[in-house]
Amino acid sequence: MNALNKRSLLKAVALSAVTLATLAACGKKEEAPAPAAAPAAAPAADKLKIGFMYVSPIGDGGWTFQHDLGRKAIQEKFAGKVETSFVESVPESADAERVLRDMAGQGNKLIFATSFGFQEYVQKVAADLPDVKFEHATGYKQAANVATYDTKTFEGAYLAGIVAGGMTKTKTVGVVASVPIPEVVRNINSFVLGAQSVDPSIKAKVVWVNEWFSPPKEAEAATSLINRGVDVMYQNTNSPAVLKTAEERGARAFGKDGDMSAFAPKAHLGSAVVDWTPYYSKVVEDTLAGNWQGGNFWWGVKEGAIDLLKIADDVPQEIKDRVEKARAGLKDGSFAVWTGPIKDNTGKELLAAGQVADLPFLTGINFYVAGVEGKVPGAEGK
Ligand code: GUN
C-alpha cells in the first residue's frame, strides 16, 4: 500500500489552490517527455500513450489524488514505454465525451475514466473507437473495448466503522454522502455495520450533498451532522472538508481514498486509503504485451487495493485488535463484511444468520441497515 507522506500531502494542499483556479478550464497536463539524450528511451511514437480523465482536481487529497498517484507510479514503472497525461475537473456531462474524443485524437490508446458518472460517455465514445481501450472506474457496463474496475471501498469503510464504534461517545455516527448509487449506500452501511460490531446500539445519520467534490457543501453537511449529535463522521466525498470541519468543532472523522491525516491531525482517526497502482500496473503490462483483457475487476483488502491506515494513537488497543482481526479475515477470505444476520432499517431481514451476500446483492444495495435514520434518496416510497 502506497501511503502518502506528509510532505506530498502538504504539497497537494498548496497545489490545490492552483488546481482549483484552473477548474473551469479542465486543465490538461502532460508528463515531461524523457530527455532526448537518454539512449535507452524508445522514440515517442513507440510509446503507449495513456490518458486519465478525472472528475475533481488532483489536489483534492482523496479520490483523484489517489488515481493520480497510480498514474505517476505506472509512468515511473514503465518509463520509456508509456507516456501518460491527464485532464482534471471534468464534469460528468457532455464535457466528458469531448475530453475522451480529444484524448483519443491525441493518440492515447488506453484511457482511464475515473468517475461513475462518466459511464454513458465512455460507452458512446468507445463504440466509435474500437482501436482504443477504455477502462472505467466503478461502472458496470463493459464492452469489447471497455473494462470496468473498482476497489472494495466498503471494506475500508467497515474497518473505519470499527474504530468509530470504539470512539463515539454520543453513540451516534454520521456520514457525508455524495451521489446516491449502490456503491455509496454500501459504504455508508458498511461503516455503520463496523461501528455496530463494537456496540449494536449505535445509530447513524446521513447527509447527501449530491456531488463528488464540493468542499463547501461537504463542510456544511458535516456541520449539520455535528449539530445533530454526531461525534464521529465518515464521508464518501472527495475532499478533506469533513475532517477539517471535525477539527474545528472538536469532533472526529476519517480520511477516505487518500491519507488525509495531515489535514486534521487532532480529528483524524484513520484513513481508508485506496491504492490503484496494482491494477494500473496490471492493465499497462497486459496492454504492452498486446494482451489487454477487458472484463470487470473488483479488488479489496485481499489484493492490497484498500486498507485503513494511520489509526490514531488514542484509539484503544482493544479496538485496534478488532480492526486487525477483521483485516486478517478479509485478507484470508475467512470474513466477509456482508454476513447475516442483517436487517434494513424497517426491520426486514435481508441476510439470514451466516448468509454471505453475493455479487448481485452487493451491487444492488439501495436500503439503509438497521440503526441508520431515514431513507435512501430515490428509494423513498418503496
Ligand atoms: N467519482 C469521484 N469520487 C467517486 C467515488 O468515490 N466513487 C465513484 N464511483 N465515482 C467517484
Side-chain angles (χ1 to χ4, degrees), residues 55-56 63 92 114-117 137-138 150 178 181 183-184 212 236 238 256-257:
V55 73
S56 49
W63 181 259
E92 293 172 326
T114 69
S115 194
F116 178 78
T138 78
D150 198 359
S178 47
I181 58 173
E183 168 197 326
V184 177
W212 295 113
N236 206 137
N238 290 13
K256 182 174 176 291
D257 303 321

Side-chain angles (χ1 to χ4, degrees), residues 24-173:
C26 296
K28 179 177 190 309
K29 308 260 166 47
E30 299 233 349
E31 284 289 300
D46 289 342
K47 289 183 185 171
L48 172 66
K49 288 186 84 175
I50 308 173
F52 285 77
M53 184 167 79
Y54 302 140
V55 73
S56 49
I58 55 167
D60 67 4
W63 181 259
T64 291
F65 185 88
Q66 219 58 18
H67 280 285
D68 202 56
L69 281 186
R71 179 190 67 81
K72 285 180 181 149
I74 57 168
Q75 180 69 61
E76 202 178 312
K77 184 168 176 185
F78 301 98
K81 296 183 182 156
V82 303
E83 186 182 320
T84 68
S85 63
F86 66 86
V87 181
E88 62 187 330
S89 303
V90 180
E92 293 172 326
S93 69
D95 281 326
E97 179 178 342
R98 178 183 55 75
V99 170
L100 290 171
R101 290 195 192 279
D102 188 44
M103 282 181 164
Q106 294 193 20
N108 289 290
K109 291 289 178 215
L110 178 63
I111 297 178
F112 293 89
T114 69
S115 194
F116 178 78
F118 293 152
Q119 178 154 272
E120 297 315 318
Y121 308 103
V122 169
Q123 289 295 315
K124 195 168 167 200
V125 175
D128 292 343
L129 302 169
D131 292 343
V132 180
K133 309 292 187 223
F134 292 84
E135 293 273 339
H136 179 221
T138 78
Y140 53 85
K141 289 187 181 172
Q142 296 95 40
N145 59 335
V146 181
T148 49
Y149 66 100
D150 198 359
T151 53
K152 293 182 177 171
T153 44
F154 72 93
E155 295 183 342
Y158 182 87
L159 297 179
I162 297 173
V163 172
M167 296 302 282
T168 175
K169 295 186 179 71
T170 62
K171 302 292 173 197
T172 310
V173 299

Side-chain angles (χ1 to χ4, degrees), residues 3 42 50 54 73 77 97 190 228 241 270 272 287 314-315 317 328 382:
I50 308 173
Y54 302 140
K77 184 168 176 185
E97 179 178 342
S190 300
R228 288 159 58 207
T287 310
D314 62 332
V315 173
Q317 190 58 44
K382 285 189 184 169

Side-chain angles (χ1 to χ4, degrees), residues 7-338:
R7 193 191 296 163
S8 69
L9 265 172
L10 293 173
K11 205 166 138 198
V13 181
L15 267 175
S16 67
V18 179
T19 317
L20 283 167
T22 56
L23 205 153
C26 296
K28 179 177 190 309
K29 308 260 166 47
E30 299 233 349
E31 284 289 300
D46 289 342
K47 289 183 185 171
L48 172 66
K49 288 186 84 175
I50 308 173
F52 285 77
M53 184 167 79
Y54 302 140
V55 73
S56 49
I58 55 167
D60 67 4
W63 181 259
T64 291
F65 185 88
Q66 219 58 18
H67 280 285
D68 202 56
L69 281 186
R71 179 190 67 81
K72 285 180 181 149
I74 57 168
Q75 180 69 61
E76 202 178 312
K77 184 168 176 185
F78 301 98
K81 296 183 182 156
V82 303
E83 186 182 320
T84 68
S85 63
F86 66 86
V87 181
E88 62 187 330
S89 303
V90 180
E92 293 172 326
S93 69
D95 281 326
E97 179 178 342
R98 178 183 55 75
V99 170
L100 290 171
R101 290 195 192 279
D102 188 44
M103 282 181 164
Q106 294 193 20
N108 289 290
K109 291 289 178 215
L110 178 63
I111 297 178
F112 293 89
T114 69
S115 194
F116 178 78
F118 293 152
Q119 178 154 272
E120 297 315 318
Y121 308 103
V122 169
Q123 289 295 315
K124 195 168 167 200
V125 175
D128 292 343
L129 302 169
D131 292 343
V132 180
K133 309 292 187 223
F134 292 84
E135 293 273 339
H136 179 221
T138 78
Y140 53 85
K141 289 187 181 172
Q142 296 95 40
N145 59 335
V146 181
T148 49
Y149 66 100
D150 198 359
T151 53
K152 293 182 177 171
T153 44
F154 72 93
E155 295 183 342
Y158 182 87
L159 297 179
I162 297 173
V163 172
M167 296 302 282
T168 175
K169 295 186 179 71
T170 62
K171 302 292 173 197
T172 310
V173 299
V175 182
V176 174
S178 47
V179 179
I181 58 173
E183 168 197 326
V184 177
V185 183
R186 186 172 59 235
N187 286 346
I188 294 166
N189 287 325
S190 300
F191 176 68
V192 176
L193 290 173
Q196 291 172 343
S197 74
V198 176
D199 180 346
S201 75
I202 287 172
K203 302 271 186 280
K205 296 181 195 293
V206 181
V207 175
W208 292 89
V209 296
N210 294 305
E211 284 187 62
W212 295 113
F213 178 75
S214 172
K217 284 192 195 168
E218 294 168 53
E220 240 174 67
T223 300
S224 95
L225 287 172
I226 294 169
N227 289 347
R228 288 159 58 207
V230 165
D231 63 349
V232 180
M233 295 179 288
Y234 197 66
Q235 80 277 353
N236 206 137
T237 42
N238 290 13
S239 90
V242 173
L243 255 175
K244 288 182 184 168
T245 307
E247 185 92 347
E248 283 162 21
R249 293 288 304 271
R252 305 298 294 269
F254 294 85
K256 182 174 176 291
D257 303 321
D259 171 359
M260 295 183 173
S261 55
F263 292 99
K266 289 199 301 272
H268 184 262
L269 279 171
S271 281
V273 177
V274 170
D275 187 359
W276 300 100
T277 303
Y279 182 72
Y280 287 166
S281 297
K282 174 207 154 10
V283 174
V284 171
E285 215 162 282
D286 288 351
T287 310
L288 286 171
N291 190 29
W292 181 86
Q293 298 284 325
N296 179 36
F297 299 83
W298 204 20
W299 290 3
V301 167
K302 191 174 184 176
E303 293 82 7
I306 172 103
D307 199 0
L308 184 70
L309 303 183
K310 301 223 178 139
I311 299 178
D313 289 343
D314 62 332
V315 173
Q317 190 58 44
E318 186 251 329
I319 297 296
K320 288 181 178 158
D321 292 345
R322 282 175 183 254
V323 171
E324 186 43 44
K325 191 166 172 233
R327 178 190 283 129
L330 291 167
K331 269 196 184 138
D332 69 18
S334 61
F335 171 66
V337 169
W338 285 81

